[in-house]
Amino acid sequence: MTKKILSVITTAAVLGTMACAGAVSSSAYSGEITFEVPETWANANKFFYAHIWNGLPGGAGLYAWQTADEKMTWTKGDATATYQVPDGDWNLIIVSGNTGIQTYDTVMNANCIGDTCYVMSEQFENPVDSKKVAYGLGWRNNTDCGPHKVVSSLGNIIGNAFLPGEDNQTLYDNFVKKYDENNIPDPDNDIFNWKDDGQVETGKDWTTIKKEVAEKLGVSSEAPTEAATAETATDAATTTSSQGGGSSSSSKSTPSSTVTGSDKTTTTGDSTPVVPLFAVLGASLAGALGIAFLARKESEE
């Protein structure tokens, strides 16, 4: 009977593990996307690249910046370029040319497969280096995807599309965690001190900028909670110069050596919270113990 009880517990534990694995598994997808090549980009470049990664904490990068694996299929003079997205739970993309011109960090998801992206006329401030901007990248048939919404190093709200699990409150909390004037600058973790950065540019102290950002986002300015997501390195990915180029400009940007920072993130998945994982595990173990108790009681009777 003891072996039977252990068998029941083992089976329940395995099922619980499977449920937990399902709870944190991400939605992988793959397929072709199309990029509308602006005439100015077509005239200035020989190649185009699709830099794709998962921008959530712990998300993985795909390929190194402008390597052969990122090269899009394009013939000089064609109006469009295509790219076969490998299987994965990707949620951000930058399209760039061999001259160094590139778009702003752009949200994508499984619905973007088969869709066409295009260079927008609007330019977006680099979240980390306000002296640089890049043209936005939009999707023809997925308006919920587009320029990634973040709070910049100057306290400006830029972009309009969230990654899974993000909202205005998490953007505010991450801004505070990243730029708190009491932080000691830590380049390895993208931590910046507001006094040494934003305040010099804006003339606003930390109390003032926190209040302004909270009001613009319409959120609480209370201290960030542990539920706030860790800041990712995606902000640093947009490294275009102030003349980023695009459909309305023939200027070229400074080539970027930055590889989007999946190596600086800390958790995995497409927004599945950790708490439900423990809840599922706890429920599974409780169920297993309950079954074992009943089995033991039956054997005693």
Side-chain angles (χ1 to χ4, degrees):
M1 182 55 67
T2 300
K3 291 183 178 180
K4 180 178 179 181
I5 293 173
L6 291 175
S7 176
V8 170
I9 294 175
T10 301
T11 300
V14 170
L15 291 174
T17 302
M18 292 172 64
C20 292
V24 298
S25 63
S26 56
S27 301
Y29 62 90
S30 62
E32 187 176 86
I33 59 173
T34 300
F35 170 58
E36 292 180 2
V37 183
E39 184 177 353
T40 52
W41 287 40
N43 293 337
N45 292 271
K46 294 181 179 179
F47 309 106
F48 294 105
Y49 303 87
H51 186 64
I52 295 172
W53 73 104
N54 184 315
L56 291 170
L62 182 52
Y63 301 123
W65 180 261
Q66 290 197 349
T67 51
D69 288 322
E70 290 194 339
K71 187 179 292 185
M72 306 184 83
T73 300
W74 181 66
T75 300
K76 187 75 172 178
D78 285 354
T80 60
T82 59
Y83 185 73
Q84 188 68 29
V85 179
D87 190 62
D89 55 347
W90 320 117
N91 49 41
L92 283 169
I93 181 174
I94 290 174
V95 174
S96 65
N98 62 277
T99 60
I101 197 170
Q102 66 182 71
T103 65
Y104 177 79
D105 301 5
T106 302
V107 174
M108 66 183 297
N109 57 33
N111 294 328
C112 296
I113 297 301
D115 200 358
T116 298
C117 55
Y118 64 96
V119 177
M120 304 168 67
S121 59
E122 184 178 0
Q123 290 182 317
F124 294 85
E125 173 192 341
N126 183 298
V128 175
D129 187 348
S130 61
K131 295 180 177 62
K132 298 178 181 179
V133 296
Y135 281 93
L137 188 70
W139 295 92
R140 290 299 181 192
N141 301 306
N142 289 283
T143 55
D144 60 325
C145 294
H148 185 207
K149 186 174 183 178
V150 297
V151 183
S152 78
S153 61
L154 299 184
N156 297 318
I157 313 302
I158 53 179
N160 53 26
F162 290 116
L163 295 182
E166 291 182 334
D167 57 25
N168 284 338
Q169 186 66 58
T170 62
L171 295 191
Y172 173 79
D173 290 348
N174 285 331
F175 171 73
V176 172
K177 289 168 66 177
K178 186 170 184 177
Y179 294 100
D180 191 327
E181 65 175 3
N182 296 313
N183 282 334
I184 298 175
D186 183 355
D188 291 335
N189 293 313
D190 287 337
I191 298 298
F192 303 89
N193 188 300
W194 178 258
K195 287 183 179 179
D196 299 331
D197 187 9
Q199 186 167 329
V200 175
E201 294 290 330
T202 65
K204 300 174 182 177
D205 61 28
W206 182 235
T207 301
T208 299
I209 198 64
K210 282 198 303 180
K211 181 180 179 181
E212 287 187 2
V213 170
E215 289 177 347
K216 285 188 284 188
L217 290 172
V219 300
S220 170
S221 59
E222 297 294 327
T225 64
E226 291 301 320
T229 58
E231 182 69 25
T232 68
T234 57
D235 295 349
T238 309
T239 53
T240 325
S241 72
S242 60
Q243 296 296 325
S247 57
S248 61
S249 171
S250 59
S251 301
K252 301 178 184 179
S253 67
T254 302
S256 167
S257 59
T258 300
V259 176
T260 305
S262 60
D263 59 327
K264 295 184 179 180
T265 50
T266 53
T267 56
T268 306
D270 56 357
S271 77
T272 304
V274 176
V275 173
L277 172 61
F278 290 121
V280 172
L281 179 58
S284 299
L285 291 177
L289 292 174
I291 293 172
F293 174 78
L294 291 176
R296 181 177 179 180
K297 182 177 180 181
E298 180 182 348
S299 66
E300 291 175 348
E301 294 176 349

